[in-house]
Amino acid sequence: MRQISSISSLLKLLAFTLLFVSTNVAAQDAAAGEKLFKKNCATCHSWEKPGTGPALKGAVDRIAPGSYGDVDSWLKAWIKDNAKLRASGDAYGNAVFAKYGTPMSTFGNLSDAELGEIVNFLRVGPSTPPPPSGGNDKVPGKDSTNTEEGSDLWLLLIIIAVSALVIIIFTGVNRSMKNVIKTKAGEEADEPKSMWDAMGHWITTHKKLASIIGFVVFLTLGKIGWDALAGIGIYQNYTPKQPIAFPHDLHAGKNEIDCKYCHSSARTSKTSGIPSANVCMNCHKAIDEGSRSGKTEIAKLYQYVGWNPDSAKYMTKDGKMRNDTAIEWVRVHNLPDFVYFNHSQHVEVGKVACQKCHGEVQEMEEVKQFSELTMGWCVDCHRETEVQFAGNDYYKKIHEDAKAENKHKKDFKFTVDKIGGLECAKCHY
Ligand code: HEC
Ligand code: HEC
Ligand code: HEC
Ligand code: HEC
Ligand code: HEC
Ligand code: HEC
């Protein structure tokens, strides 16, 4: 009996592990579904806010599947051909249609597996929730760069857990076989009292293997901890997902639009700023298609500003001008509040190129944080970079004085630190 109970507890644990692995698989499924959703559905549906179609958060709970039996079958039929579903007399389908009036597109091209992935996504929702309003000020998280690494770690942990289980089960089976033989021979069986005893027993009898497994677990946990500590405050290569896939390479690179056409305040103020949608519309009233994403991404811009490309007019509803919604770009660069950084001082006065700090943005499809943005990074550059004094009488005088003072030093350079670029109060309020 005892043997059965310990085996059944092992089976429970195994089932739990399998469940864990399978939810992981479901999550992967949903990720594939999310891709399909973005490609096929996102022009009309968002998760939280109604657009051309309803917001899809909670859709799985409100749908009444009627004669389709269950929500999944209803959804698959609806997505594949909603007109056919409505024609079949389905009550819920006809009710949403009556409410929205615009027919949804049909998706006869999607396979049953793909439909399943989309349905999974509709249950789980977006992997990174859309930024709340005022998303511009969002402090960057490392989510977008780290998810893959995270799932690798999970995979590793799962593999370790499963192999440990397999080993335990093997020793269990091995022992019960021995016991069977022993009982037959009339000896008393030595059964383990519980799974933990079995594990303890296994560890004492397999010291080498146990210490290897222990070491791997230790390294894994250590790496997680170390990454978490080392990453605090440094977001180099941070590339958040933006509401519109705005490509710098096609604009600033291929079409050679000057950075300052869009980031015009870099010249005159502390911040460079992000252009408003009106700036985009200077060109995009006429350009409704890109070479990479076709019409999809530019259609999102039109959604935000309420532009109807067919009538070439801003859309009106009830005779009123439609309010445009600000595009919630997610901030890439973000110094802590206690640091003072001024763009015009660097770009205009210091004549530092944007690329020196931001990398070759004109070649990036998505902008990422190129530099560390640490104090050491600022200070190092101030130690190395010479002040631009041409055409600046104020600096010219200081520069001449400094040169006179340092006549004896052969390779004297008038660098930023010499005008106070290392003083704490210049960078800290
Ligand atoms: C051209 C715009 C458009 C596209 C593209 C589109 N939909 Fe729809 N969808 C709608 C509209 C509009 C409705 C409301 C019902 C109606 O008017 O037919 C709707 C309704 C729905 C509903 C029912 C929602 C509820 O609240 O009950 C679901 C689910 C849905 N769509 C899923 C999808 C999925 C998944 C895709 C992509 C494969 C997609 N839609 C693509 C416009 C669209
Ligand atoms: C057609 C307009 C346009 C042009 C030209 C342009 N940008 Fe941008 N830039 C944007 C928009 C819109 C964003 C916000 C979306 C994003 O981050 O991708 C942005 C974001 C950025 C960011 C990240 C800002 C943050 O959130 O921290 C940097 C850095 C940047 N641009 C630098 C440049 C540089 C350097 C150039 C020239 C090589 C340039 N941009 C040219 C429109 C433009
Ligand atoms: C000075 C003109 C100009 C401005 C301003 C401009 N664009 Fe564009 N945009 C273009 C051109 C030209 C293309 C086509 C580029 C190509 O595909 O080669 C384009 C293409 C695009 C695309 C599609 C790229 C692809 O993947 O195929 C998107 C999205 C886009 N622009 C968004 C924006 C946004 C958002 C803004 C405002 C921040 C903006 N544009 C401002 C000229 C402009
Ligand atoms: C000396 C380094 C340096 C140079 C040169 C520089 N930037 Fe920046 N940029 C930064 C830093 C640091 C931040 C982060 C500022 C913050 O978080 O307050 C930033 C932020 C930005 C942002 C985000 C919005 C904002 O203003 O905070 C944009 C857009 C941007 N830079 C564009 C540009 C463009 C375009 C140029 C060239 C005209 C340029 N930068 C030149 C260091 C630089
Ligand atoms: C690529 C080189 C470079 C980097 C990186 C850089 N700076 Fe500068 N910085 C300069 C130059 C050049 C000047 C001189 C401008 C001038 O002539 O007034 C300057 C001047 C300054 C000044 C004015 C100093 C004074 O005495 O007037 C401040 C403040 C400043 N930088 C802050 C920062 C901060 C904060 C960072 C990091 C977030 C930073 N800088 C990163 C090149 C750089
Ligand atoms: C050229 C600009 C600059 C100068 C000069 C400067 N700092 Fe900083 N400091 C920064 C930046 C940028 C950060 C933010 C670094 C980060 O977020 O990783 C920072 C962060 C800090 C922090 C927070 C701890 C940390 O490393 O994140 C302290 C404390 C600090 N500075 C003290 C000082 C003191 C004291 C001085 C004068 C000896 C000084 N700073 C001079 C730019 C500067």
Side-chain angles (χ1 to χ4, degrees), residues 58 107 204 238 264 295 315 390 408:
F107 295 91
T204 45
Y238 175 58
S264 53
K295 298 196 172 188
M315 281 188 268
H408 52 284

Side-chain angles (χ1 to χ4, degrees), residues 148-159:
E148 269 177 48
E149 202 177 306
S151 61
D152 280 356
L153 278 178
W154 276 117
L155 203 67
L156 188 66
L157 286 178
I158 290 168
I159 290 170

Side-chain angles (χ1 to χ4, degrees), residues 4 91 127:
I4 290 172
S127 49

Side-chain angles (χ1 to χ4, degrees), residues 262-313:
C262 290
H263 302 290
S264 53
S265 58
R267 221 175 301 158
T268 51
S269 77
K270 184 176 172 302
T271 54
S272 281
I274 303 295
S276 79
N278 289 333
V279 175
C280 314
M281 291 305 286
N282 288 344
C283 297
H284 283 290
K285 274 183 189 166
I287 302 166
D288 66 353
E289 200 169 347
S291 53
R292 196 176 289 144
S293 66
K295 298 196 172 188
T296 339
E297 296 298 323
I298 297 174
K300 291 184 195 162
L301 172 64
Y302 293 159
Q303 286 275 150
Y304 277 105
V305 297
W307 174 260
N308 182 339
D310 298 326
S311 63
K313 278 197 191 108

